[in-house]
Amino acid sequence: MTQLTVRDFRSQMASSFDLVDAGERVFIRRKNQLYTIVPVSEDDLTITPKLATKIEKARQEYREGKTISLKTHDDIDSYFESM
């Protein structure tokens, strides 16, 4: 695990990405908040035909009223208690 300030990250950006690619966790501290670098593949950003089918099915179910609306905390609690 490597922890850097924002200033250090700016000056060591390339080596920080190399560490992440090698499996190391790199954290960047900005004020009181901690961030991390997460690699994302192109596949993570693509809607596959299989996922598009699932999305369309969910939209159709919503249009047909085959969904449950939980608007309050009590609704949520009641729903999960009924399971």
Side-chain angles (χ1 to χ4, degrees), residues 34-83:
L34 204 57
Y35 300 85
T36 189
I37 302 171
V38 178
V40 179
S41 73
E42 193 69 33
D43 292 339
D44 294 334
L45 304 174
T46 304
I47 296 178
T48 63
K50 183 177 178 181
L51 179 56
T53 301
K54 288 182 179 182
I55 292 170
E56 185 50 41
K57 180 182 176 200
R59 286 179 175 158
Q60 184 64 34
E61 288 174 356
Y62 175 77
R63 286 190 292 268
E64 293 172 359
K66 296 179 181 176
T67 60
I68 299 171
S69 293
L70 305 173
K71 297 180 181 178
T72 67
H73 290 288
D74 290 336
D75 290 345
I76 295 167
D77 289 341
S78 296
Y79 176 74
F80 282 114
E81 287 174 5
S82 70
M83 295 179 95

Side-chain angles (χ1 to χ4, degrees), residues 7-47:
R7 172 184 267 167
D8 292 337
F9 174 66
R10 281 189 197 131
S11 67
Q12 302 171 27
M13 196 176 296
S15 63
S16 297
F17 287 117
D18 290 341
L19 287 171
V20 172
D21 288 340
E24 175 106 16
R25 293 188 74 185
V26 175
F27 294 95
I28 303 158
R29 182 170 294 283
R30 180 176 181 237
K31 298 182 181 177
N32 293 327
Q33 188 67 32
L34 204 57
Y35 300 85
T36 189
I37 302 171
V38 178
V40 179
S41 73
E42 193 69 33
D43 292 339
D44 294 334
L45 304 174
T46 304
I47 296 178

